[in-house]
Structures are given as C-alpha cells and as structure tokens.
Amino acid sequence: MFADNTVVIQSHDGQNKQILSAIEWDTFQRVWAKNEQYQLLFTAYDDRSLAFNLLTSENSVFYDGQEYIIKQIVDEFNGGQHTMQITATHVYYQLSSRVQFNVRAGDNSFSLSEALGFLFDGVSGFSYEIHGGFNSSKTLTDFGNVPISEGISTIKDTFGVYAVIPDNHVVNIYDESSYVKETRNVLRYRNDTSDIQLQYDSQSIVNRVQAVSTAETPAFEPFFVENQESINTWGIREGVRVESDTVTDVNQMRTLAAQSFVLQPTIAFSITTEENRKVKPGELWNVQILETNFLTKVEVVSITETPFTSAAVQIELNNSRANYLDAQKAQAKIIKNIQDKQSNVDTINTWVIGYVEE
C-alpha cells in the first residue's frame, strides 16, 4: 500500500509497481473539468531508476487514490539532461476504446438504469452507480454499436444527467441535488484572490426557434416558440429549428423546443486563489467583490492545481441565470450611484442668469 500523496507507476501487466520520486514537482498538475477532462501532467528526470523507466505508453500512474493511464510522452534529451513530459488521463477514459456492439434497433423506451445496464453489458472491469432520482423513461433510437464513453454522453444528454464523475473503474451518475455540495466558503477579491475574471458572452442567446414535425405524416404544422421577456430585452435571437419524428403533441413539442433557449448572456468565472487552497468538485462557493457589492453563489466546475508546491489553484465556476442577474444588479447599483453623484454635482454648479431689480 502507498500513501495517497505519493506518485506510483505501474507496468501495464501489473508486474512492476514503483514510487516515482524523480519529478520536477513544480510541473506536477492535476486538471479536472466536470464532464470534460481529468488528467495528470508532469515532467520527470532520469535518475536511472526502475520507476523512471516505467514511464511508457499505457502504463498506470496512481495519485491521490485514482489511476491514470499514460497517453502522451515527450522524451527529451537536452544539454546533458534526459526528461520525460507525461500526460496521463484518468482510467475512466479507457472506455473510449471499449465498444457495446449490440444494438437495440428502432425507438426503445429505457429507464436510466436499463440504458446503462444495456450499455455496460459485457464490459468487464468497469461498473456504474446512480445517485439521485431519474424516474422517467426516455426513448433511445438504434442505441448501441457505440464506444462506451460516447454511449454515456448520449445517456447524459437524454436523461439530463448533471454530472458523470469517475472513481477509478466506477462511473458515478449524479442528478444535481445529489452532486452539488453546499459550503460556507467565500472567495473574496483582494482577500482570498487577487484575480477574478467575469467573462460575459452574448453570442449564444437564443429566444426564438421553429418547431417542426418530421414524421412521415407531420403531426402538426411548423410553428415558432418564443420567450417574449428575452425578446423584449435583447431582441429576436433565433436558433436552429428543433425537429422530431416522434413527438405528436404540440405542447410537448413546445417544451422540447424551449430546451434550446439561452435567454440571457452567459457569465463564466475564473479565479486564481492566493494559495494552494483545497477545493473539491461540485462545491458551492460564494464569490464576493466588495468594491462593486457583487455577491453570488457558484459551483466549482474546473480545478487546475499544483499540489506539491504553494502555487495558486486556478478555479472555474459555473454560470447561471442567477449569477448573471447578481452581476447585473451590482452593475445597476454602480450606475445609479454614478448618476446620483452627477446629479448632485449638476445641482451644486447650476448658475441662474438674470438681473436684480432695484
């Protein structure tokens, strides 16, 4: 057994397992992004050890209780030094090269458990666990003959899975309430961090789409679905039409079309902490900028950390309608304060031109 804070290399056949100590520790990074990325990056130097020489493709790296597989290596000889730059992805991503060859032809109704059971059937070495309530069944068409990772992505989108979090060979499927963790932690600008970026993007706004039945005999005439509040604020912003060959009810189609709406600009947060602060996926943090009276609650969705140094942790936080409204409320207050000050200055400096009667 090895401590979680050690880095261990294991050969692909499992016959050799060694602690790797010849690491340039300031290069050792763990990068995680929800539903997107989970990997280790580091540079090791040649100390003629067995551990260094185990740094070959498809061997495993164990750190902090998780297994990663070496996927990319830059083997460099420079100025008398021999180093290797390693990129190792979480073992979960091995599922991109495992395939469910069976197919359920046509339209089939699945519960989440049934869909995952079919997808993982015959896939040795991996399992899944469901956390939270996914009670409704969904229709999957010609489901199968697909890499397992791609099938998981299809299931995620179809069933509204909030987070897919691997724990070594176990794939954990979460709804939102089971995944997010409430904390009382606050990241304050100039206290816990000297760098907060709020990135606004209005390019993705969609508030009007056309709904179309593509059944052999259309169930309804094409119609538009709109969000009038967003249109009043931002103008008409149309998205691609939404099609279905299975939905026959107009109201159900209206609900389906509305799922493509993005009703206001998005806002994303990037924060660099003042120290190597422990942050966990799914935690809810408060972000505060005292200068602007801005305060909002956000979820940690990406972490880049250098755990063996005192370097700052880079965090990305989710965006939501609530976060955007909090930002707009703070901005509106600033604008009002400026306008009030200008109004007071104008009042003080007002001169009345006229004459004095004798």
Side-chain angles (χ1 to χ4, degrees), residues 66-338:
Q66 298 296 312
E67 180 182 3
Y68 304 80
I69 309 299
I70 297 173
K71 294 296 181 181
Q72 295 174 310
I73 303 172
V74 177
D75 194 358
E76 182 175 7
F77 296 82
N78 185 357
Q81 284 194 319
H82 178 203
T83 60
M84 291 191 189
Q85 298 172 33
I86 303 296
T87 300
T89 61
H90 195 276
V91 68
Y92 161 74
Y93 292 98
Q94 294 293 86
L95 288 173
S96 63
S97 57
R98 302 289 295 276
V99 177
Q100 177 52 262
F101 292 101
N102 295 323
V103 178
R104 292 281 183 91
D107 294 338
N108 290 275
S109 178
F110 290 89
S111 67
L112 176 60
S113 179
E114 290 168 342
L116 288 167
F118 171 75
L119 183 65
F120 277 81
D121 186 34
V123 180
S124 60
F126 287 87
S127 60
Y128 62 88
E129 292 183 7
I130 299 172
H131 307 266
F134 297 91
N135 298 321
S136 60
S137 294
K138 303 291 183 180
T139 298
L140 294 171
T141 303
D142 297 330
F143 187 51
N145 190 28
V146 64
I148 305 304
S149 58
E150 186 178 327
I152 291 172
S153 180
T154 297
I155 289 172
K156 172 185 170 294
D157 293 341
T158 302
F159 287 88
V161 170
Y162 190 73
V164 178
I165 305 296
D167 181 5
N168 287 319
H169 292 247
V170 180
V171 181
N172 291 286
I173 307 295
Y174 288 91
D175 67 4
E176 183 174 2
S177 62
S178 299
Y179 175 69
V180 296
K181 309 173 189 71
E182 183 71 50
T183 74
R184 296 183 178 180
N185 296 330
V186 180
L187 285 167
R188 292 185 179 89
Y189 176 58
R190 293 191 179 181
N191 184 6
D192 308 288
T193 173
S194 60
D195 182 13
I196 295 180
Q197 293 184 359
L198 282 68
Q199 302 159 14
Y200 297 89
D201 186 355
S202 64
Q203 295 184 88
S204 59
I205 295 175
V206 174
N207 52 32
R208 186 176 191 258
V209 295
Q210 188 181 46
V212 178
S213 173
T214 55
E216 188 172 340
T217 302
F220 45 79
E221 292 294 320
F223 63 94
F224 285 99
V225 182
E226 302 176 340
N227 183 284
Q228 196 59 51
E229 181 182 356
S230 179
I231 290 174
N232 291 343
T233 304
W234 309 108
I236 293 176
R237 303 288 292 273
E238 292 180 325
V240 297
R241 72 182 191 180
V242 178
E243 302 176 348
S244 176
D245 59 359
T246 59
V247 176
T248 58
D249 179 74
V250 170
N251 288 330
Q252 186 179 353
M253 190 64 191
R254 192 180 302 278
T255 300
L256 177 64
Q259 291 176 4
S260 64
F261 284 165
V262 179
L263 300 178
Q264 68 280 319
T266 60
I267 176 173
F269 300 82
S270 296
I271 293 177
T272 302
T273 67
E274 286 293 331
E275 57 186 11
N276 199 336
R277 191 165 185 172
K278 192 66 175 176
V279 180
K280 296 180 180 179
E283 289 185 336
L284 293 177
W285 285 61
N286 291 296
V287 174
Q288 187 174 34
I289 305 174
L290 294 173
E291 286 88 337
T292 62
N293 293 312
F294 175 70
L295 177 65
T296 196
K297 183 179 292 186
V298 284
E299 175 197 332
V300 176
V301 296
S302 174
I303 306 169
T304 299
E305 59 181 338
T306 311
F308 293 103
T309 72
S310 59
V313 178
Q314 295 176 328
I315 308 167
E316 291 185 9
L317 303 139
N318 73 327
N319 73 81
S320 68
R321 178 176 173 80
N323 301 142
Y324 179 76
L325 293 177
D326 287 340
Q328 287 300 98
K329 184 167 63 175
Q331 186 67 19
K333 188 171 182 179
I334 292 172
I335 291 172
K336 185 177 185 304
N337 288 339
I338 293 173

